[in-house]
Amino acid sequence: MRSHWRWWLSVPMTVMLCSGPRGAEAAAPPAGDPPPPPADEPAGTRPETPAPGSRPAERKAGPALRFDERRHDFGEIQDTAVVTHAFRFVNTSEKTVHPVRPSMCCGMTAAFDKEVYAPGAPGVLTVVFHPLHRGGRIERDISIGARELPGAVAATVTVAGVVVPVVVVEPQAMQVAELRRGETVRRRFLVTGLGADFDVAAVEGCGKFVQAVVGSPQAVVRDGRQFRTVPVEVTVSPEAPLGMLERQLIVRTTNAQYPKAYFLVRAEVVGEFRASPRYAMGQGVKAGEEFTVTTRVVSRDGLPFLITSVDAGAASGPKVETDWRPAVVEGSIGYEITVRGTAPERPGTFGGTLSVATDRAGEEPLRILYRIAVAKK
């Protein structure tokens, strides 16, 4: 969900289908009347001569779409509402027009009621705007092309309005790059809803290691509108296991139009040790040849330790062997771990997970992924 509290922020955007000189509608008609033909010249056989500095008339040579209106303002709309407007037009040229469907974005679509418009035929271009997760002032120019006018624009219409978000979550996520196991982390996010009685009824989806506590709502007035803001405190338990912890929280609200919102919790729980690089990768290994990949393990606190075992476990490819030896890793004493084996005869990718056990009491084994990419001989 995107949050937008800059209500009057103007966000202009133009959706252009093509570029280049404008079509028949933009062409300037010739100024004045051409001189009459000589008496001995049949009327209508002499070509029209445009006035100096003017462009030749193209109205009859290409499509011309005349719209009843060129701009529509939706006014103030809530982001839960879907609004529609029909732009009506007439093909004022003497040729059949095949309009090109505009390529839209930002929650907006546009479509013609027909694929072909004969000379003099009326038509409708319907514009639909889905403002969900948007806010503030919007204005969109819709440029319309036609197959008969390659590289040009037959007409342009504009829609505008002010979007009022009904429910906004700020921020939308809690992300912790490294959370040491045994530590507690807390974050707070705010849920703001339209109306003097807005509230958060519950927060679901926390799971075993995430807790969410809903606070008391506070009334706020923004741009003359009544809102209420509800704080929610999220806590990640120190008992969370090693690895990536990810929970999508569901925020149940009292707003009937917007009954639920979302908040993402993502934290990588780490232990006393880390690998550098995090993954042992082997590239360009030839089929049937021996390979060797390495990674290093170091203590986060810089204290000495011993590796007691490295288990390659079940791999998706051939059996591998591992060994380790002391090494200096980023200025601290650690270990270099080597994985070696023989690549399979068929090209592809295989790998597994190393489980590195240490003499540190109560510490879970460090898990390190390794991958080998096998190429043809």
Side-chain angles (χ1 to χ4, degrees):
M1 177 187 312
R2 299 181 59 188
S3 59
H4 298 274
W5 288 119
R6 299 180 180 86
W7 298 106
W8 308 108
L9 177 64
S10 176
V11 189
M13 182 173 293
T14 303
V15 182
M16 300 298 294
L17 295 176
C18 44
S19 60
R22 293 184 177 271
E25 188 173 5
D33 297 327
D40 58 347
E41 181 177 338
T45 61
R46 184 174 180 178
E48 295 184 356
T49 304
S54 66
R55 296 175 59 185
E58 299 178 6
R59 188 176 181 81
K60 296 182 180 180
L65 303 181
R66 187 185 67 209
F67 281 79
D68 293 347
E69 59 176 335
R70 291 301 186 90
R71 190 176 190 277
H72 177 75
D73 196 322
F74 290 114
E76 187 176 285
I77 54 178
Q78 294 185 0
D79 69 341
T80 53
V82 178
V83 291
T84 303
H85 184 71
F87 288 96
R88 302 184 181 279
F89 63 89
V90 175
N91 177 13
T92 59
S93 72
E94 295 183 356
K95 287 192 174 183
T96 299
V97 177
H98 296 75
V100 179
R101 182 172 182 174
S103 177
M104 306 298 294
C105 67
C106 304
M108 195 168 294
T109 61
F112 291 93
D113 61 335
K114 294 184 292 186
E115 295 183 357
V116 181
Y117 297 91
V124 177
L125 174 65
T126 302
V127 178
V128 181
F129 179 42
H130 299 258
L132 190 62
H133 304 160
R134 292 172 175 81
R137 181 74 182 175
I138 60 100
E139 187 155 341
R140 305 283 189 269
D141 292 334
I142 305 169
S143 295
I144 303 161
R147 282 161 48 184
E148 292 76 15
L149 277 178
V153 176
T156 302
V157 295
T158 302
V159 293
V162 177
V163 180
V164 180
V166 174
V167 175
V168 172
V169 175
E170 296 179 305
Q172 302 171 38
M174 162 187 174
Q175 302 201 46
V176 183
E178 289 188 353
L179 174 60
R180 291 286 291 270
R181 187 180 181 186
E183 295 181 353
T184 301
V185 62
R186 293 183 176 89
R187 296 286 189 274
R188 192 179 78 150
F189 67 92
L190 301 177
V191 185
T192 303
L194 183 63
D197 59 349
F198 174 81
D199 205 348
V200 172
V203 178
E204 302 172 355
C206 294
K208 183 178 179 181
F209 302 106
V210 177
Q211 181 183 20
V213 178
V214 180
S216 300
Q218 295 181 347
V220 293
V221 178
R222 295 178 178 174
D223 299 320
R225 305 177 185 88
Q226 289 284 338
F227 293 87
R228 288 220 299 181
T229 297
V230 183
V232 180
E233 185 177 78
V234 177
T235 303
V236 177
S237 168
E239 302 300 323
L242 298 180
M244 182 61 70
L245 173 66
E246 185 171 300
R247 304 296 300 181
Q248 180 85 312
L249 306 187
I250 302 174
V251 182
R252 301 287 182 182
T253 79
T254 58
N255 188 293
Q257 294 177 296
Y258 211 121
K260 61 182 179 180
Y262 299 95
F263 182 80
L264 178 64
V265 177
R266 180 184 288 126
E268 184 174 7
V269 183
V270 299
E272 295 292 330
F273 305 99
R274 64 182 179 87
S276 178
R278 296 182 60 183
Y279 310 107
M281 306 294 293
Q283 301 287 339
V285 178
K286 299 296 184 181
E289 294 184 355
E290 293 184 356
F291 66 86
T292 298
V293 294
T294 61
T295 186
R296 295 184 175 189
V297 174
V298 65
S299 171
R300 295 180 189 274
D301 55 19
L303 298 178
F305 65 98
L306 295 176
I307 289 182
T308 57
S309 66
V310 177
D311 182 10
S316 61
K319 183 178 179 181
V320 298
E321 295 180 354
T322 60
D323 60 52
W324 59 95
R325 62 183 181 85
V328 177
V329 183
E330 300 175 3
S332 299
I333 299 299
Y335 287 87
E336 182 179 80
I337 300 176
T338 301
V339 180
R340 59 171 54 89
T342 301
E345 295 295 335
R346 296 180 60 181
T349 303
F350 72 95
T353 302
L354 303 179
S355 179
V356 182
T358 69
D359 64 345
R360 194 69 60 89
E363 182 67 15
E364 293 183 19
L366 174 66
R367 300 187 182 280
I368 307 172
L369 296 178
Y370 69 91
R371 292 289 183 268
I372 309 297
V374 181
K376 294 181 179 180
K377 289 184 179 181

